[in-house]
Amino acid sequence: MSLLADIIESEQMALAAALPESFLVTAEPTSGYAALAAGKNTAIITEPNLKPESYCQLAVDFEVWLIATSQDQSQARAALSEAIEALMLIGFDNAYALGVTPPGTSRYYAAYKINYTNSYQI
């Protein structure tokens, strides 16, 4: 497996362990959209940005989309709030309240875009 794939898989496992079970964690947007269509809250990890810090250390900037399926605003807020509280334990740089409409649909989902950076030894 490649370094990038290892990093993404490691982060996916860490998020899956931290987030409530009601969230599917994936690095594949298509899988995430399918989960949303099936009524499952989703956390989608996008391709990270990489920054070398030294000859053997790499900073990796992650962007994760937390997306709640509920059309009821209070239920969506509760699900997203629970997820953000869980991620506070592992830390993040910022969280932006947004909405998302997956490609090929007209349905709007409440979402948060979470950004954070982790360092890895290479």
Side-chain angles (χ1 to χ4, degrees):
M1 200 180 291
S2 73
L3 174 66
L4 185 56
D6 286 343
I7 288 171
I8 292 171
E9 183 179 319
S10 170
E11 202 58 35
Q12 189 172 343
M13 290 179 0
L15 288 172
L19 286 170
E21 287 185 20
S22 64
F23 277 82
L24 169 79
V25 179
T26 183
E28 299 291 332
T30 307
S31 299
Y33 301 145
L36 287 170
K40 182 89 171 157
N41 296 328
T42 305
I44 301 173
I45 303 169
T46 64
E47 288 295 316
N49 295 314
L50 310 174
K51 298 181 288 191
E53 291 185 324
S54 69
Y55 73 95
C56 65
Q57 189 150 341
L58 189 65
V60 182
D61 294 331
F62 287 99
E63 181 177 284
V64 176
W65 287 81
L66 298 175
I67 308 170
T69 60
S70 178
Q71 291 298 291
D72 178 277
Q73 190 173 18
S74 63
Q75 289 177 356
R77 278 189 188 143
L80 292 169
S81 179
E82 184 180 9
I84 289 169
E85 286 176 29
L87 292 181
M88 288 168 111
L89 298 174
I90 62 173
F92 58 86
D93 297 330
N94 50 51
Y96 299 100
L98 301 168
V100 72
T101 302
T105 72
S106 60
R107 185 163 171 206
Y108 174 85
Y109 295 92
Y112 268 86
K113 182 176 78 167
I114 308 288
N115 298 94
Y116 61 95
T117 303
N118 283 343
S119 292
Y120 293 87
Q121 295 292 332
I122 52 174

